[in-house]
Amino acid sequence: MAVDTGGKLVEEGAEWFTTLIENAKKEISSPTELIALAIHGLMLDLDFIVREQNLEKSEIPSSWKTSAGIVFKYNYKNTDVQAQITIFNLGKFIQIHGFIPSASESFTVCLKQGDEFVNDNFELVNVKKLATIFKSQVGEKMQHKSRLVAGLERGLLQLPDDVIHLLFTFMDYKSVIRLSLTSSRLYELGMDKSIWRRLCKLNKDIQLEPNQDPYTVFSDHIRRQKLVDEKIKKMRAMNFAIEQRRREMLDRNRRIFPPHNPFFPDF
């Protein structure tokens, strides 16, 4: 396998992916096929392995072009869990369909503008955007489902989405944020609008309009509240310092000018 001296991921310029594209140049005849190879590389990033034995990452799978479209077949890591990616054109759109046979579950995303990812020189562009769209809508969901079927998922992540969503509804906003930052799947679930709409309703100081994004409204409110709290904290610290200074001056004046005692004038 080629040594990866660049980034580790496709969107970071992995050397093995560059070699893959170079090896496939003679076979690529359309922007869809070039995008399909990028999708294939992203699947390899997610620990899927081509079913063909002894095939390096930089090598093109055989029979990837079929009458049904472009098809890539995988296993997840070294398990028996199989996965398949099918890519085909629907007019001006590019349909990407992922399927996990053992779970009978499929995931789909449609690219509305394929030319956004292939320039006039027939080169891939905006690969980071393509990676974000595919991984969030298809790739990472297939990875999670494959891990569940293979029995590799543990803890909270093995629960169904609706159960995790229910758990989020019992949390305050700090807990929602902290849990969301632990994985991409929990982040996607934690950013659900219904969760943040509930948090807005629980806060009497927030007025949420129907066309407003609840997360944006809530985060703006928290940001303003923090600014107010910081100003109050500074004012309290300033008042405390003034009071301390006033007491020091009083103590100093008492030592220099002690109070007059009419009963003991000499003292």
Side-chain angles (χ1 to χ4, degrees):
M1 186 178 297
V3 179
D4 187 2
T5 58
K8 293 181 180 180
L9 303 176
V10 167
E11 58 266 40
E12 295 172 347
E15 185 177 334
W16 65 264
F17 180 69
T18 303
T19 305
L20 173 67
I21 297 299
E22 287 293 326
N23 293 339
K25 272 188 175 181
K26 294 181 180 179
E27 297 187 33
I28 300 174
S29 58
S30 69
T32 301
E33 293 177 359
L34 186 57
I35 291 174
L37 284 177
I39 298 301
H40 168 62
L42 294 172
M43 286 293 286
L44 298 180
D45 274 347
L46 293 170
D47 296 326
F48 286 91
I49 301 173
V50 179
R51 288 187 206 170
E52 297 179 39
Q53 294 184 353
N54 302 321
L55 190 70
E56 295 185 357
K57 293 175 74 173
S58 59
E59 294 178 337
I60 311 166
S62 62
S63 305
W64 61 292
K65 298 181 185 181
T66 70
S67 58
I70 299 168
V71 179
F72 296 104
K73 297 180 180 180
Y74 308 93
N75 280 79
Y76 182 70
K77 289 191 171 180
N78 294 318
T79 69
D80 295 329
V81 179
Q82 297 183 351
Q84 179 173 304
I85 290 287
T86 305
I87 304 168
F88 53 91
N89 288 99
L90 283 175
K92 295 182 179 180
F93 303 107
I94 298 176
Q95 188 87 357
I96 303 171
H97 180 78
F99 181 60
I100 307 292
S102 52
S104 298
E105 209 161 329
S106 59
F107 309 91
T108 303
V109 66
C110 186
L111 302 180
K112 296 181 180 180
Q113 294 179 333
D115 56 353
E116 182 181 1
F117 305 105
V118 180
N119 63 17
D120 295 335
N121 296 324
F122 213 64
E123 297 172 337
L124 281 171
V125 292
N126 297 325
V127 180
K128 288 186 178 180
K129 183 177 181 180
L130 177 63
T132 300
I133 294 172
F134 172 74
K135 286 184 177 180
S136 62
Q137 298 298 318
V138 177
E140 289 176 350
K141 292 181 179 180
M142 292 182 68
Q143 183 189 48
H144 170 66
K145 183 57 65 175
S146 298
R147 290 182 61 84
L148 282 177
V149 174
L152 300 176
E153 208 69 278
R154 295 289 184 271
L156 187 64
L157 292 175
Q158 67 183 331
L159 298 175
D161 288 354
D162 55 343
V163 175
I164 297 177
H165 184 276
L166 180 62
L167 293 176
F168 272 120
T169 61
F170 290 97
M171 300 179 184
D172 59 15
Y173 81 93
K174 290 183 179 179
S175 300
V176 171
I177 291 173
R178 287 167 183 163
L179 183 58
S180 298
L181 293 176
T182 57
S183 77
S184 57
R185 180 181 171 226
L186 291 176
Y187 177 80
E188 183 180 352
L189 293 172
M191 291 300 293
D192 188 273
K193 290 185 178 181
S194 62
I195 295 173
W196 293 97
R197 191 174 291 112
R198 167 188 164 275
L199 290 171
C200 288
K201 288 181 179 179
L202 292 176
N203 194 313
K204 297 179 180 179
D205 297 329
I206 297 179
Q207 298 295 327
L208 182 65
E209 300 295 332
N211 60 339
Q212 290 180 309
D213 177 60
Y215 173 76
T216 302
V217 173
F218 192 91
S219 58
D220 288 344
H221 170 74
I222 295 300
R223 195 176 296 110
R224 288 193 299 269
Q225 189 62 49
K226 285 183 177 180
L227 291 174
V228 172
D229 292 342
E230 288 177 2
K231 289 181 180 179
I232 293 175
K233 186 177 179 181
K234 288 180 180 179
M235 289 179 64
R236 286 176 177 172
M238 187 182 299
N239 291 336
F240 179 78
I242 292 172
E243 180 63 19
Q244 285 288 98
R245 181 60 177 168
R246 188 184 69 82
R247 291 182 180 182
E248 290 174 0
M249 292 296 293
L250 285 175
D251 291 341
R252 179 173 174 274
N253 290 339
R254 288 195 186 104
R255 289 194 299 270
I256 298 175
F257 308 105
H260 177 70
N261 192 330
F263 300 102
F264 301 94
D266 295 334
F267 292 91

